[in-house]
Amino acid sequence: MAGISVLRGTTAYGRLPLFHYPQLPVSISVSASKQKYGRGKFSLFARYSQSQDVFTTRLQDSIENLPKLVEDIIQTSINTGPRGALRLAQGIQAVIGVGSEWLADASKTASSPSGLATELQLGLLSPVYLRKLFERMGATYIKLGQLIASAPTLFPPEYVQEFQYCFDRAPSVPFQEIQAILREELGKPIDSVFEYVDPTPLASASIAQVHGARIKGTQEDVVIKVLKPGIEDILVADLNFVYVVVRILEFLSPELSRASLVAIVKDIRESMLEEVDFKKEAKNVESFKRYLEAMGLTRQATAPKVYPEYSTTRVLTMERLYGVPLTDLNSINTLVPNPETSLITALNVWFGSLLACESFHADVHAGNLWLLRDGRIGFLDFGIVGRISPKTWGAMEIFLASLATEEYESMASSLIDMGATSQNVDSKAFARDLENIFSSIQDLDTEIIVAAAREPNTNATAVSANLRVDERQMNALFLDLVRVSESYGLRFPREFALLMKQLLYFDRYTRLLAPNLNMLRDQRITIASNQSSRSTYR
């Protein structure tokens, strides 16, 4: 910024800055002094100021960091290989396609009195068009969009809301391509391992596809999770490209390093690469099963058995569990006499895993949390897990206790302890804002769908109920919390967002299965509080 000082009358001795540009080595100053030829005379001169030292220091730092930047770019390029050129061509094609959409939309509104709409003014960087670009770019960017949608502590709310659309069902890969991957990974004919593999997928996501199958000989029912073809190459090329771009941006503009963009990209890259390494997911499952065994919980809950002999980095073969999601009230009532007891079991098992496991299940939506036919709780899909530090859990425990008792000043203090901040926080004002946010939880729309049908033979009426959860409302609530916290200078660790989202899922289940249950105050639910109980069930 440029500052201009206008002095009138007699001045004191000294030099007063007239224009000052912090990033340039020259400042122009006014010198005021008493001279024998009259008072108030000014002479203008230019000199090198202390900013020259700042400039020199920055230049030296840049020169010192340049070899490391070049080394990073070269090594990343080597790791990317020829696939980088292919993805570049696909990226150009995607940009042209979405750019054409933007031009068409912009031309329609350009002549209007109000001019371009706000979302059009940002071009392809606006939330809508960036989301469309990600979708055209394919699996990696769709997955990146899902991470953006799930990380309101890292990204602006407009982008978090828009990228919720990336959770829509992904198109399935032709079964012939799945068969080719299975043959390659197993190293033998498919029919020598499996009696059959269902060609119709049970589920299809951005990076993987799941098929039902039966093992030959043992007749065990299993599910096979198969990484979609080419995903590894696309993922590596895309993430390496994003990493290089961010490294160059931070090199050119050191101020950006304060935003820790490289650290954020590294975290995202590590998380995404873990999710496409099915050996790591298998380890997550086995760790959770060891926790259940050690705590004597195998009669209450389970996770699928992993078949390591039929699993690789790209193929994960697991026991097929049969049950219903925790949102299917009618089916749950046919399996257990008291759905509330099943929900309490799920809560106790999950809360216990926060401390007793190396990682906790960080995606307990209805598709991944089932009531099984034998009455146990089934935890499925350990592709997304979280790891919580003792410091975060200590603050989180106080936060949960405060939420249960509606003590908002204590809640504010716990969030201040958890969040990184460089400024003093008005805890009382923060507490009042938190009260406004959490008092709105009960106002969230939870739609319970009830259907009735008359049985033709018995003439009896069958009633079924299910729960429809608006994911966007859940995220909006959490965004409010993040937005208010950031207004006080607080930034939370990633695991806080993961924990909060799971609690919101459990809140939805509580409304359907046990409307009178307070999951944070009920004595039957144990929220582990002793940090020394963290064990090594890994």
Side-chain angles (χ1 to χ4, degrees), residues 119-179:
E119 66 179 27
L120 292 173
Q121 292 176 8
L122 291 175
L124 298 190
L125 294 180
S126 71
V128 172
Y129 293 99
L130 190 61
R131 189 258 304 168
K132 290 182 177 181
L133 180 60
F134 275 30
E135 290 174 344
R136 282 182 179 250
M137 288 291 290
T140 306
Y141 284 87
I142 291 175
K143 196 67 189 173
L144 183 60
Q146 292 173 356
L147 286 172
I148 292 173
S150 302
T153 57
L154 296 178
F155 300 98
E158 298 81 5
Y159 290 84
V160 172
Q161 292 282 28
E162 181 62 34
F163 279 91
Q164 298 300 317
Y165 293 103
C166 289
F167 285 107
D168 293 343
R169 180 182 172 90
S172 59
V173 171
F175 185 57
Q176 292 80 359
E177 297 184 35
I178 296 296
Q179 287 178 307

Side-chain angles (χ1 to χ4, degrees), residues 13 64 124 130 156 205 220 246 307 337 356 371 383 404 494 497 536:
Y13 296 98
E64 290 176 1
L124 298 190
L130 190 61
E220 294 171 284
V246 172
Y307 292 81
L371 178 66
R494 179 173 177 264
T536 55

Side-chain angles (χ1 to χ4, degrees), residues 402-423:
S402 304
L403 182 60
T405 57
E406 298 182 354
E407 296 176 2
Y408 294 102
E409 288 191 14
S410 177
M411 185 189 300
S413 297
S414 68
L415 291 176
I416 292 170
D417 290 340
M418 191 187 309
T421 181
S422 58
Q423 63 188 62

Side-chain angles (χ1 to χ4, degrees), residues 14-86:
R15 296 188 181 92
L16 304 170
L18 182 60
F19 302 106
H20 179 62
Y21 296 89
Q23 296 182 358
L24 296 178
V26 176
S27 66
I28 300 175
S29 302
V30 172
S31 175
S33 61
K34 293 183 180 180
Q35 303 177 13
K36 63 179 180 180
Y37 296 107
R39 301 177 61 185
K41 303 278 186 175
F42 294 95
S43 62
L44 188 67
F45 68 95
R47 72 175 183 86
Y48 285 99
S49 69
Q50 292 179 348
S51 59
Q52 181 184 25
D53 297 332
V54 174
F55 177 81
T56 303
T57 301
R58 287 184 177 179
L59 182 60
Q60 289 174 345
D61 289 343
S62 296
I63 293 174
E64 290 176 1
N65 293 330
L66 183 58
K68 177 60 177 174
L69 174 65
V70 174
E71 181 185 347
D72 266 5
I73 293 175
I74 292 174
Q75 187 60 53
T76 303
S77 300
I78 292 173
N79 293 338
T80 304
R83 53 196 166 193
L86 175 61

Side-chain angles (χ1 to χ4, degrees), residues 407-448:
E407 296 176 2
Y408 294 102
E409 288 191 14
S410 177
M411 185 189 300
S413 297
S414 68
L415 291 176
I416 292 170
D417 290 340
M418 191 187 309
T421 181
S422 58
Q423 63 188 62
N424 294 325
V425 179
D426 185 342
S427 60
K428 292 188 179 297
F430 188 28
R432 289 193 295 270
D433 288 338
L434 290 174
E435 182 176 3
N436 292 333
I437 292 173
F438 284 97
S439 62
S440 67
I441 287 182
Q442 299 302 320
D443 298 330
L444 289 180
D445 292 334
T446 302
E447 184 178 357
I448 298 179

